[in-house]
């Protein structure tokens, strides 16, 4: 009895069309944002998560925030 050959996988290589008249990318001007710019509305800390409140404390340079509760974090941020 002859041995049965397993089907082999065929690799398909697709041809990619290359366009020669592709326009150059347009340069984008990056404008830095000032962090000290006051916002029109005050920040509502009650809507923020505890991890976001901790990040806000870190950004403002407040120390001793890592084991505080949400209420204590809000008090620390509003006093700063």
């Amino acid at each position: 009895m002859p041995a049965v050959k397993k089907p082999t996988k065929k690799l398909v290589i697709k041809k990619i069309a290359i366009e020669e008249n592709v326009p150059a990318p347009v340069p984008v001007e990056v404008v830095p944002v000032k962090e000290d710019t006051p916002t029109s509305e005050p920040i509502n800390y009650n809507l923020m998560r505890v991890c976001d409140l901790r990040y806000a404390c870190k950004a403002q340079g407040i120390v001793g925030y890592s084991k505080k509760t949400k209420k204590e974090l809000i008090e620390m941020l509003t006093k700063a």
Side-chain angles (χ1 to χ4, degrees):
M1 197 157 139
V4 178
K5 291 185 178 181
K6 292 183 180 180
T8 58
K9 294 181 181 178
K10 294 183 180 180
L11 298 176
V12 178
I13 300 174
K14 296 182 179 180
K15 293 183 179 180
I16 301 172
I18 299 174
E19 296 181 24
E20 293 180 12
N21 296 327
V22 178
V26 179
V28 178
E29 182 179 344
V30 178
V31 180
V33 177
K34 294 181 181 178
E35 294 183 19
D36 298 336
T37 306
T39 58
S40 59
E41 298 178 16
I43 299 172
N44 188 354
Y45 293 116
N46 292 319
L47 300 177
M48 296 174 71
R49 298 179 300 177
V50 175
C51 62
D52 296 328
L53 292 170
R54 288 183 181 141
Y55 183 78
C57 286
K58 183 178 181 179
Q60 292 185 17
I62 299 172
V63 294
Y65 59 84
S66 62
K67 295 185 180 181
K68 301 290 183 183
T69 62
K70 182 174 183 175
K71 185 177 180 181
E72 293 171 331
L73 290 170
I74 293 171
E75 288 175 8
M76 293 173 76
L77 287 166
T78 54
K79 290 179 183 177

